[in-house]
């Protein structure tokens, strides 16, 4: 909820405010350690007038910003509460991509909190396993602990059919014979 109050949560989930309060209480009890860490993080940010990730990414606070106000529902304060988790995820992705590059894994794109890679089909299984390992090592580098990493494999619609491969081979063979 990143600072949203019960009325906003109720409206967003199309439930009554009492249910929203119950959900928010459960969320806070399940994530107590994170909530405490976030509070300490925001207190430090308020004192230093900036937020920083372990890898040095910074967000400077404007003079009027008071991130220590826990109940401030403004979108600006919600953004500040969201920043540490998003910036840390970005650090993890950055570290993972650098590791993937060292292992010559072809990175195609970043998709929110995921990395799209490209690999030849015969090498796919081992490349995916190596990429997952790079993601885990990236998290250890940034957080000091591993994170779970899942995978999804997509075969694009550009996969050639056997008859197309044969046609290409015939064109190449004809071209070579003509020379």
């Amino acid at each position: 909820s990143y600072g949203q109050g019960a009325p906003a949560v109720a409206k967003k989930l199309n439930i009554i405010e009492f249910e929203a309060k119950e959900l928010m209480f459960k969320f806070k009890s399940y994530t107590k350690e994170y909530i405490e860490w976030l509070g300490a993080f925001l207190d430090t940010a308020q004192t230093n007038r900036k937020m920083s990730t372990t890898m040095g990414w910074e967000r400077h606070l404007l003079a009027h910003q008071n991130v220590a106000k826990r109940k401030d529902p403004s979108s600006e304060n919600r953004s500040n509460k969201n920043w540490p988790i998003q910036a840390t995820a970005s650090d993890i992705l950055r570290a993972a991509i650098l590791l993937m590059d060292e292992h010559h894994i072809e990175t195609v794109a970043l998709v929110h909190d995921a990395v799209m890679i490209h690999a030849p089909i015969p090498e796919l299984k081992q490349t995916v396993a190596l990429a997952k390992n790079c993601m885990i090592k990236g998290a250890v580098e940034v957080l000091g602990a591993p994170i779970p990493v899942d995978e999804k494999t997509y075969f694009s619609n550009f996969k050639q059919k056997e008859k197309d491969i044969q046609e290409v081979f015939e064109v190449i063979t004809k071209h070579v014979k003509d020379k």
Side-chain angles (χ1 to χ4, degrees):
S1 70
Y2 293 111
Q4 284 187 342
V9 171
K11 184 177 180 181
K12 190 169 200 165
L13 299 177
N14 198 25
I15 58 176
I16 63 173
E17 196 170 320
F18 177 78
E19 290 174 304
K21 285 180 182 177
E22 280 186 329
L23 284 173
M24 292 171 73
F25 177 78
K26 286 180 183 178
F27 173 79
K28 287 179 181 174
S29 67
Y30 294 145
T31 59
K32 187 176 189 248
E33 189 175 316
Y34 171 72
I35 300 289
E36 289 172 359
W37 171 84
L38 181 61
F41 181 91
L42 293 174
D43 287 342
T44 301
Q46 187 65 35
T47 301
N48 296 337
R49 305 304 305 149
K50 69 179 180 180
M51 296 184 270
S52 304
T53 66
T54 55
M55 304 302 283
W57 188 256
E58 293 184 344
R59 179 178 189 169
H60 294 266
L61 302 177
L62 301 174
H64 72 278
Q65 289 180 304
N66 184 352
V67 295
K69 281 199 230 173
R70 304 286 187 267
K71 302 279 183 188
D72 180 0
S74 70
S75 61
E76 184 178 82
N77 205 30
R78 281 196 312 274
S79 176
N80 285 329
K81 288 178 180 178
N82 188 28
W83 187 86
I85 197 85
Q86 296 296 329
T88 299
S90 178
D91 279 348
I92 292 169
L93 278 174
R94 209 178 293 79
I97 288 170
L98 289 171
L99 290 167
M100 287 180 205
D101 186 59
E102 287 175 14
H103 288 91
H104 308 289
I105 296 173
E106 184 181 346
T107 303
V108 176
L110 296 180
V111 184
H112 186 63
D113 60 354
V115 178
M116 183 186 300
I117 63 171
H118 176 262
I121 290 175
E123 300 167 19
L124 186 61
K125 234 180 187 175
Q126 79 180 55
T127 304
V128 168
L130 185 56
K132 284 175 71 171
N133 193 39
C134 289
M135 290 285 286
I136 293 166
K137 284 183 177 180
V140 169
E141 186 178 311
V142 173
L143 299 173
I147 59 170
V149 175
D150 61 357
E151 69 186 71
K152 286 187 180 175
T153 302
Y154 296 97
F155 295 95
S156 79
N157 58 357
F158 294 104
K159 186 176 179 184
Q160 291 181 326
K161 295 178 183 166
E162 189 61 41
K163 70 176 189 83
D164 295 335
I165 294 171
Q166 187 60 38
E167 284 178 26
V168 169
F169 183 73
E170 287 170 8
V171 168
I172 292 171
T173 303
K174 183 179 184 294
H175 182 73
V176 169
K177 284 182 181 177
D178 289 347
K179 295 228 171 206

